[in-house]
Structure formats: structure tokens, C-alpha cells
Amino acid sequence: LVCAVGRSRVLVHRRPRVAVLSTGDELQESAKALAPGCIYDSNRQMLLAALHDLHYEVVDLGIATDKADAIETKLFHGLENADVVLTSGGVSMGEF
């Protein structure tokens, strides 16, 4: 196609790499039996699936507890390994 429009070179970019992180003490992976007061981490799974469908490279950062150091560690890992970091988590009851 490039040749058909008279071009011999094109500028290309790699696909963006997107990291996805869920935060919250109440979140659990769906493979486990649900503990009292917990909910399944469905947002992260939905975001990962949508990004895959859009052909992005995806980094799954998992779930970070509501501890500042846990969130910071996961965010730094995401920033080192991706172009964008998406986070999903509530703020209604936590300290942050």
C-alpha cells in the first residue's frame, strides 16, 4: 500500500504498552471463594480484555492493597514497564 501512494518510507510506532492496576483491600481474584466483605476484581478483568481487543500490549499489575507502599511499588513497576498506567479503585472508605 505504501508503494501505491508513491511513498518508499513511512513512520511507524510500536503499539502502546498499558499497565492495569486495581486497588483495594476488598478486592479478590475471581478464582478464589469470596471472603466476607470482599468483591471480585471485575474492573481489572474488563479493562484487560478491552485493551487486548484494541491490540494494545498489556501489563497486568494485579491488585494492590490499600497501603501506600503497596500501591507505590505497583505503580513504579507499571511506570517502568508501560507507557500508560490505568488504575481502578474506590475512595469512599479508604485513607487515600
Side-chain angles (χ1 to χ4, degrees), residues 52-83:
H52 278 291
D53 285 349
L54 294 169
H55 306 287
Y56 286 99
E57 291 183 41
V58 179
V59 177
D60 183 358
L61 298 175
I63 301 169
T65 62
D66 285 329
K67 303 280 187 258
D69 59 333
I71 296 169
E72 182 180 20
T73 298
K74 297 261 188 176
L75 284 175
F76 276 121
H77 178 73
L79 292 170
E80 290 173 349
N81 293 285
D83 303 303

Side-chain angles (χ1 to χ4, degrees), residues 13-94:
H13 300 276
R14 69 170 172 77
R15 292 182 182 147
R17 186 174 298 124
V18 181
V20 180
L21 172 65
S22 287
T23 63
D25 290 332
E26 75 285 2
L27 296 178
Q28 275 190 220
E29 297 287 350
S30 60
K32 296 180 179 180
L34 199 56
C38 291
I39 59 172
Y40 290 121
D41 182 19
S42 58
N43 287 353
R44 189 174 101 254
Q45 300 306 321
M46 180 272 306
L47 289 169
L48 292 169
L51 291 165
H52 278 291
D53 285 349
L54 294 169
H55 306 287
Y56 286 99
E57 291 183 41
V58 179
V59 177
D60 183 358
L61 298 175
I63 301 169
T65 62
D66 285 329
K67 303 280 187 258
D69 59 333
I71 296 169
E72 182 180 20
T73 298
K74 297 261 188 176
L75 284 175
F76 276 121
H77 178 73
L79 292 170
E80 290 173 349
N81 293 285
D83 303 303
V84 176
V85 177
L86 294 179
T87 62
S88 173
V91 293
S92 61
M93 300 298 288

